[in-house]
Amino acid sequence: MLVAVLANAQSAARLKGLVQDENGRAITGAIVVAKNDKLHFSQGMQTDTSGTFYFNNLPNNGFISITVSYTGYIPQLFDNYSLSKDGLTTMYVKLVKDTFNLGEVVVVGYGTQRKKDITGSIAVVSSKAMENRPNVQFGDALEGKAAGVQIIKSSGSPQSGFSIRIRGTSSITSGSEPLYLVDGVPTQSISEINPSDIESFSILKDASAAAIYGASGANGVVLITTKRGNNGKTIVSFDSYYGISNVRKKIPVLNSTQYAQLIHDMGESIDLGVFDANTNWQDELFRTGTSQNLNLSVRGGNAKSTFYLSGGIVRQNGVVINNTMNRANFKANLDHKINNIFKIGTSLSYNRWYDVDVSEGANGGANSVLLNTLTGAPVIKVYNPTGTKFTVDPFYQDLDNPVGLAKGNDHYYVKNRFLGNAYVEANITADLKARTMLGYENFAGKYQSFVDPYKTTEGRSKKGMANYSSDANEYWMSENTLTYQKLFGKHNFGAMAGFIASKTVANVASISTRNFANGNITTVNGGSIIDGATQSITQIATSSVISRLTYSYDDKYYFTGNFRADGSSVFGPQSRWGYFPAFSVAWRISNEAFFKDRVPAINDLKFRFSWGDVGNSQIAAYSYLGMIAANGSYVFGNKVTAGYTPTTLGNDDLHWETTRQTDIGFDMSLFHSRLILTADYYNKKTIDLLLQSPIPGSSGYTTVLKNVGSLQNRGFEFTASSKNIEAPNLTWSTDFNISLNRNKVLNVNDGIIYDGAINSKGNSIIVKAGLPLGSFFGYVAQGVDPKTGNMIYKIANADEGLQTSDMAVIGNANPKYSFGITNDFKYKNWNFSFFVQSVQGNQILNATRIYSEGMWELRNQSAAVLNRWKKEGDITNVPRPDYNNTDAPYSNYNSQISSRFVEDGSYIRLKSLTLGYTFKLKSANLKLYCTGENLFTITRYSGYDPEVSAFGHNSNTAIGVDFGSYPQTRSIIFGLNATF
């Protein structure tokens, strides 16, 4: 490994070295640290482009400890290395690849642990997953990368955000979002985080791993570790890319002639001499989107102080006109070692978010921009002949054309977010460490809109209207922990205890006005009539006591036990505290003497078992109290006096939702660690669900929040990572994961919950015992009657006709399984990678088709209605128009929510493909690359895109519904990464 050569005599010890890999290639940027603890000496540096390092002034006592490390390689330690006292010592170091980094230290709850010693189910995703794919939000980097981790996007708009579901949805009406921590500080605002600042993710999936977060860990935990400084040469990195995007496809719609014929068939008429346009609103609304990203970072330091500084800007123009998003980021991580006992540091970040959205999905309703892009009348133009007003629908005079809907409301949203922490660590003894951290987050957003009193129909009806709303959230936490770790021969014992306190204060306010004199003053003070004004201030306080014991023997047998007690102010005084125990055990059978020689192909095999409880308190502040609202008014004499209205019934017995989970799994390494396999089976059950339960109306209320009901998730996860080729000039690696989850409602207080309301059509989702969340509810369509042209529905009693009692479960939004596969190739300076993602067995309720194929209003329709029933004997799957259909049993008979609109939502998608080349210069590396996103999708879904969620990514029940949703886009991105 090394050869020492005495050189010219000098007054101080000097050391020169060369660091190479297994193939004799120089390693640039390896970190070399020279230490002598007795003399309190520590000095570090990085190897240059030739792999060389040089220390010019080392302690002249003959011995020193040298550590050489580089990401992806097994560190080398040369303890008490002998130096020439008066000359130059030369050493040669060979670093061996640490395949899959099994020896690396990963972040777990309130500490770190070697990856190979973990007893719970934890998925680790490093920054490498983001290197070959541009990411605006970190959810893109996690998508398809970890088994059992589902990324939910409500739409393809730049500001749509995302949600994460870990091992299914664990609640019905409470939050199902995991706990996010950035450098140890919880955060609710995740869209603004800059992915370029992230070093790694640790996703705590099972109860044993997450139970240390107790009341916040019921939905899993995502630990986000950002990049920090290093002891060595200062490194400057610059990343930039520019991309263009388009919709994957457009949906064929009727032209003006076909539309006029449909209107005629519906019993109405339109004069094409007056309405003489032939507008395809998709051509008017969709455009080529653009995205631009710039990031600059500096990291470095010495043995005492390290730093990481970064700044970045993202600008995205969506594929729909007027839709944009901008984000600016700043990050600073500082660490300083005061002496051998104390260490201090801080992590600070500031983000500014700006966006202009377009109405879509369930929030936009039937008059959303995206839905009207398909159903807007093609016979009108964008503006009236004078260009002063947006044209209106010829049959709905209160509805502007789709461009008017997109541009008529001048609005924007801005959010400023600060997140930071400061810590002090004290090494009381070699085995005992104390740590105190103070964390703080503050984000404040404002939304402002103005509708001109002349250009739009809505503006003219209210003589102009404006809205201003703000949301502010302030969070602080104090965390204090004491950690003990001691090795007694083959016994390794650890203990941790701590106390945490936190408080959240939220302030939300809004004011709306109308009746503007003109369009010159666009703020709310320009309106003479106040339509509404609201404000609410809420506070939530929590206290927690945490503890953990770990024990391992001879690197074979492992035990971890957690216990956490949490108190939250959202519950009543008698039920405020929840107690959450968990444990896990593991057996590394591969280290047993009877196993080592029998199965030489297996390098490492570990079996794991875990069990534990975690809690959920994601409900509104003061939920246990009877609430009143300041929206009542009373008349006394001739005066109107402000008053209060009771709104909710109190419940002092309200307490925690609890999720109990059992996990059985194994980790296996084969063929000199070139193949890594991980598999888990889990069963988790949530009890005491926080649900609105019906009560007798005589109480003055209809529902009260109670702990009733239960929910179950069971599933299987499998991950495989392989190094297929490792040659001097060529490497090929593959990562594959597959997961399946079966969700079932066990009880909802012996009742039924309906959700997913479609305008004018009713609810589309049913929540009932025995069914999975995301069950579609409607009528069973059995085709079109060739005689009448009406839909045939499955009914219980033909004499009574179609009844609401005939409604049934007509589909399931949950996939049978999903998988992702990534392949990375490197040949000399070239790199090529592609990522394929798939979801299989799920269904989508295409509620957009109720409006675009239902023919129950005088709106434009998709080209599918050209095959509609027209005369007796026609064989088709599209019924006759439903507008004024007197032959149907009742109005809108053919356009009911039914299985007619349920489609297969399965897809296989080439999510990302990248080709890059790296120029290795004397003092810098420059990489140029081209990436394609969503290049092609194999699916039978007829809508814009199968990756939709019209009711938002935060909904637990109304999933898999497409209702005028913004489509996912196809992008081509060109970028460069430069390191100096």
Side-chain angles (χ1 to χ4, degrees):
M1 293 293 298
L2 57 92
V3 177
V5 179
L6 297 178
N8 297 326
Q10 299 290 334
S11 59
R14 295 176 295 150
L15 176 66
K16 181 178 181 181
L18 177 65
V19 181
Q20 298 176 324
D21 64 12
E22 298 162 283
N23 300 306
R25 293 176 297 192
I27 296 179
T28 303
I31 298 174
V32 185
V33 179
K35 294 179 65 176
N36 187 312
D37 290 335
K38 292 182 179 180
L39 300 178
H40 304 292
F41 174 84
S42 179
Q43 186 175 342
M45 66 176 58
Q46 287 185 298
T47 57
D48 59 22
T49 54
S50 65
T52 302
F53 64 89
Y54 184 78
F55 290 97
N56 190 42
N57 190 19
L58 295 178
N60 194 2
N61 69 341
F63 295 96
I64 201 162
S65 294
I66 305 293
T67 303
V68 184
S69 61
Y70 187 69
T71 302
Y73 290 79
I74 299 173
Q76 292 282 7
L77 171 62
F78 305 96
D79 201 14
N80 292 323
Y81 184 67
S82 177
L83 296 175
S84 172
K85 294 184 178 181
D86 298 314
L88 175 69
T89 303
T90 303
M91 65 186 303
Y92 301 95
V93 181
K94 177 188 286 187
L95 293 182
V96 180
K97 280 193 174 181
D98 183 5
T99 307
F100 302 108
N101 296 325
L102 290 179
E104 73 174 325
V105 175
V106 300
V107 177
V108 296
Y110 303 101
T112 59
Q113 197 171 8
R114 286 194 308 170
K115 181 188 286 188
K116 65 184 296 183
D117 295 339
I118 290 173
T119 57
S121 181
I122 300 178
V124 179
V125 180
S126 70
S127 58
K128 180 183 175 183
M130 295 178 279
E131 290 177 356
N132 294 326
R133 184 183 176 194
N135 303 283
V136 175
Q137 299 186 52
F138 73 79
D140 298 329
L142 290 179
E143 192 169 17
K145 297 295 185 181
V149 179
Q150 181 185 12
I151 308 299
I152 300 175
K153 297 180 179 179
S154 59
S155 76
S157 67
Q159 66 270 44
S160 63
F162 63 94
S163 284
I164 295 178
R165 294 291 183 269
I166 298 175
R167 293 184 168 180
T169 299
S170 300
S171 185
I172 293 179
T173 57
S174 294
S176 284
E177 200 77 5
L179 173 66
Y180 300 97
L181 294 101
V182 181
D183 296 325
V185 180
T187 179
Q188 300 176 0
S189 190
I190 59 176
S191 297
E192 299 87 9
I193 298 172
N194 185 5
S196 297
D197 291 332
I198 296 176
E199 184 70 38
S200 66
F201 302 94
S202 291
I203 305 170
L204 314 185
K205 298 190 288 185
D206 72 336
S208 173
I212 194 65
Y213 292 100
S216 305
N219 305 314
V221 181
V222 178
L223 304 177
I224 302 170
T225 303
T226 60
K227 297 174 182 177
R228 308 197 79 84
N230 56 275
N231 179 8
K233 176 185 174 182
T234 299
I235 300 174
V236 179
S237 298
F238 174 74
D239 303 326
S240 176
Y241 67 75
Y242 179 83
I244 57 175
S245 56
N246 292 281
V247 293
R248 187 174 62 89
K249 70 174 184 179
K250 294 181 180 178
I251 296 175
V253 295
L254 301 181
N255 60 32
S256 58
T257 302
Q258 295 165 337
Y259 172 70
Q261 181 61 52
L262 174 63
I263 295 299
H264 178 270
D265 292 350
M266 297 170 79
E268 300 288 344
S269 63
I270 189 168
D271 188 350
L272 294 181
V274 176
F275 300 98
D276 57 353
N278 186 21
T279 305
N280 186 324
W281 293 107
Q282 293 175 96
D283 297 334
E284 300 293 333
L285 268 292
F286 292 137
R287 64 181 178 183
T288 298
T290 60
S291 60
Q292 186 176 8
N293 183 48
L294 300 170
N295 276 293
L296 179 66
S297 67
V298 182
R299 66 193 304 181
N302 53 37
K304 280 189 170 290
S305 301
T306 62
F307 63 88
Y308 172 83
L309 303 172
S310 76
I313 297 174
V314 176
R315 300 181 184 274
Q316 279 192 301
N317 292 318
V319 295
V320 175
I321 60 173
N322 217 42
N323 176 216
T324 189
M325 184 278 288
N326 299 329
R327 188 186 71 204
N329 308 279
F330 173 77
K331 179 73 177 176
N333 286 340
L334 307 173
D335 300 280
H336 177 70
K337 184 178 180 181
I338 299 175
N339 50 41
N340 288 337
I341 297 177
F342 292 103
K343 180 180 179 182
I344 61 175
T346 185
S347 295
L348 306 171
S349 67
Y350 168 77
N351 315 101
R352 183 183 187 274
W353 176 284
Y354 170 89
D355 77 64
V356 178
D357 66 354
V358 293
S359 59
E360 57 162 326
N363 290 331
N367 292 332
S368 69
V369 171
L370 270 298
L371 185 58
N372 278 273
T373 301
L374 297 176
T375 62
V379 295
I380 57 176
K381 298 178 182 179
V382 176
Y383 295 99
N384 65 357
T386 63
T388 58
K389 300 177 181 178
F390 293 109
T391 59
V392 297
D393 190 285
F395 295 102
Y396 302 93
Q397 294 297 311
D398 59 343
L399 180 62
D400 290 311
N401 68 62
V403 174
L405 292 173
K407 291 186 173 182
N409 187 334
D410 184 13
H411 65 282
Y412 65 89
Y413 177 74
V414 175
K415 177 189 283 188
N416 292 281
R417 171 182 175 270
F418 172 82
L419 177 69
N421 71 62
Y423 72 87
V424 178
E425 287 183 0
N427 293 312
I428 301 172
T429 68
D431 309 314
L432 184 63
K433 181 175 74 174
R435 190 175 195 271
T436 295
M437 182 181 72
L438 181 66
Y440 179 78
E441 180 181 45
N442 184 303
F443 61 83
K446 67 176 182 179
Y447 173 84
Q448 188 159 328
S449 69
F450 174 72
V451 179
D452 186 272
Y454 306 111
K455 288 184 179 180
T456 67
T457 302
E458 186 178 27
R460 290 190 294 273
S461 68
K462 295 189 176 182
K463 296 183 180 182
M465 51 191 294
N467 172 264
Y468 178 85
S469 58
S470 65
D471 60 294
N473 189 289
E474 188 176 31
Y475 171 87
W476 68 263
M477 66 171 291
S478 173
E479 176 186 299
N480 305 274
T481 58
L482 195 64
T483 304
Y484 178 79
Q485 193 73 41
K486 183 69 174 179
L487 182 64
F488 303 94
K490 295 182 179 182
H491 304 271
N492 193 349
F493 174 80
M496 186 272 293
F499 175 77
I500 303 165
S502 69
K503 186 176 184 179
T504 301
V505 180
N507 188 333
V508 180
S510 177
I511 182 171
S512 299
T513 63
R514 58 184 170 89
N515 199 36
F516 284 69
N518 53 55
N520 296 326
I521 299 177
T522 62
T523 50
V524 290
N525 58 305
S528 62
I529 300 175
I530 297 177
D531 267 350
T534 63
Q535 184 179 15
S536 68
I537 301 175
T538 58
Q539 298 185 19
I540 297 177
T542 63
S543 297
S544 306
V545 178
I546 61 175
S547 61
R548 176 170 58 210
L549 292 175
T550 62
Y551 172 76
S552 66
Y553 174 75
D554 198 19
D555 209 18
K556 299 178 185 177
Y557 315 110
Y558 302 85
F559 169 83
T560 300
N562 297 295
F563 181 80
R564 175 163 175 154
D566 284 284
S568 173
S569 63
V570 301
F571 301 117
Q574 305 304 318
S575 309
R576 186 153 290 170
W577 285 88
Y579 305 96
F580 307 103
F583 76 90
S584 58
V585 294
W587 176 29
R588 175 163 279 112
I589 189 175
S590 56
N591 281 0
E592 297 286 1
F594 67 82
F595 187 90
K596 287 184 177 180
D597 299 328
R598 292 179 179 271
V599 192
I602 299 178
N603 314 113
D604 188 81
L605 176 59
K606 179 178 64 178
F607 294 102
R608 296 177 280 103
F609 173 83
S610 68
W611 173 94
D613 287 348
V614 283
N616 190 350
S617 60
Q618 295 185 41
I619 56 175
Y622 320 119
S623 289
Y624 74 96
L625 295 172
M627 304 295 291
I628 58 174
N631 59 5
S633 58
Y634 303 85
V635 178
F636 291 97
N638 295 323
K639 295 183 179 181
V640 177
T641 303
Y644 303 96
T645 304
T647 56
T648 64
L649 189 63
N651 181 2
D652 287 339
D653 294 327
L654 210 61
H655 56 272
W656 302 86
E657 282 188 357
T658 301
T659 297
R660 178 165 296 168
Q661 184 175 176
T662 302
D663 183 282
I664 302 173
F666 72 84
D667 305 311
M668 182 185 295
S669 171
L670 301 96
F671 312 121
H672 303 290
S673 296
R674 293 187 62 174
L675 176 63
I676 305 293
L677 305 177
T678 298
D680 283 270
Y681 169 80
Y682 63 87
N683 186 347
K684 65 177 184 176
K685 181 180 179 181
T686 304
I687 60 175
D688 293 336
L689 289 173
L690 292 160
L691 299 174
Q692 291 291 343
S693 181
I695 57 176
S698 58
S699 65
Y701 303 87
T702 57
T703 62
V704 62
L705 187 62
K706 290 183 177 181
N707 290 96
V708 291
S710 54
L711 179 70
Q712 183 183 57
N713 285 275
R714 294 183 297 172
F716 173 78
E717 303 165 354
F718 176 77
T719 300
S721 299
S722 64
K723 301 291 184 181
N724 308 314
I725 298 176
E726 286 193 305
N729 291 322
L730 176 65
T731 63
W732 171 28
S733 63
T734 300
D735 294 304
F736 171 79
N737 70 81
I738 186 170
S739 58
L740 58 90
N741 181 76
R742 299 293 179 263
N743 172 280
K744 184 169 66 172
V745 177
L746 301 179
N747 180 29
V748 283
N749 197 30
D750 298 323
I752 297 176
I753 299 174
Y754 297 100
D755 201 357
I758 307 298
N759 292 67
S760 305
K761 296 298 178 181
N763 292 302
S764 61
I765 296 289
I766 184 172
V767 179
K768 183 181 178 181
L771 299 176
L773 294 178
S775 295
F776 303 135
F777 187 60
Y779 295 103
V780 179
Q782 297 179 316
V784 176
D785 187 345
K787 183 176 181 180
T788 65
N790 293 323
M791 289 299 302
I792 302 172
Y793 295 110
K794 183 178 180 180
I795 60 178
N797 191 322
D799 294 332
E800 294 181 357
L802 190 65
Q803 304 292 321
T804 56
S805 59
D806 293 317
M807 297 181 73
V809 175
I810 56 175
N812 182 1
N814 296 281
K816 293 181 178 178
Y817 64 92
S818 59
F819 69 83
I821 181 169
T822 302
N823 281 275
D824 288 306
F825 300 86
K826 291 184 179 179
Y827 175 70
K828 294 185 177 179
N829 290 354
W830 291 93
N831 72 278
F832 173 73
S833 65
F834 65 90
F835 166 45
V836 176
Q837 182 217 10
S838 179
V839 174
Q840 296 292 317
N842 64 304
Q843 293 174 303
I844 297 174
L845 175 61
N846 192 344
T848 300
R849 288 175 52 206
I850 298 177
Y851 277 78
S852 66
E853 295 180 21
M855 297 175 288
W856 60 283
E857 291 185 318
L858 298 176
R859 298 171 180 253
N860 197 21
Q861 303 287 278
S862 77
V865 304
L866 293 174
N867 297 321
R868 63 187 179 274
W869 184 96
K870 297 177 182 177
K871 64 182 185 304
E872 186 175 345
D874 283 351
I875 305 299
T876 179
N877 60 355
V878 182
R880 66 185 299 168
D882 228 11
Y883 184 79
N884 290 335
N885 180 10
T886 57
D887 292 331
Y890 55 79
S891 177
N892 298 339
Y893 182 82
N894 293 334
S895 53
Q896 296 295 310
I897 297 174
S898 72
S899 57
R900 171 190 171 192
F901 304 110
V902 175
E903 302 183 40
D904 183 2
S906 304
Y907 67 88
I908 300 178
R909 170 170 284 164
L910 180 58
K911 199 73 178 178
S912 176
L913 183 148
T914 296
L915 177 64
Y917 184 83
T918 301
F919 297 89
K920 294 185 179 294
L921 308 177
K922 184 176 181 180
S923 59
N925 286 336
L926 178 64
K927 177 182 177 181
L928 301 177
Y929 66 89
C930 177
T931 295
E933 294 278 332
N934 300 332
L935 290 182
F936 72 85
T937 302
I938 301 174
T939 183
R940 291 186 290 180
Y941 182 60
S942 66
Y944 282 124
D945 194 88
E947 199 171 352
V948 293
S949 183
F951 289 88
H953 50 78
N954 289 315
S955 177
N956 295 335
T957 55
I959 59 177
V961 179
D962 187 353
F963 187 40
S965 300
Y966 198 118
Q968 302 291 330
T969 59
R970 177 185 295 158
S971 305
I972 300 294
I973 299 169
F974 301 92
L976 67 88
N977 300 331
T979 303
F980 305 92

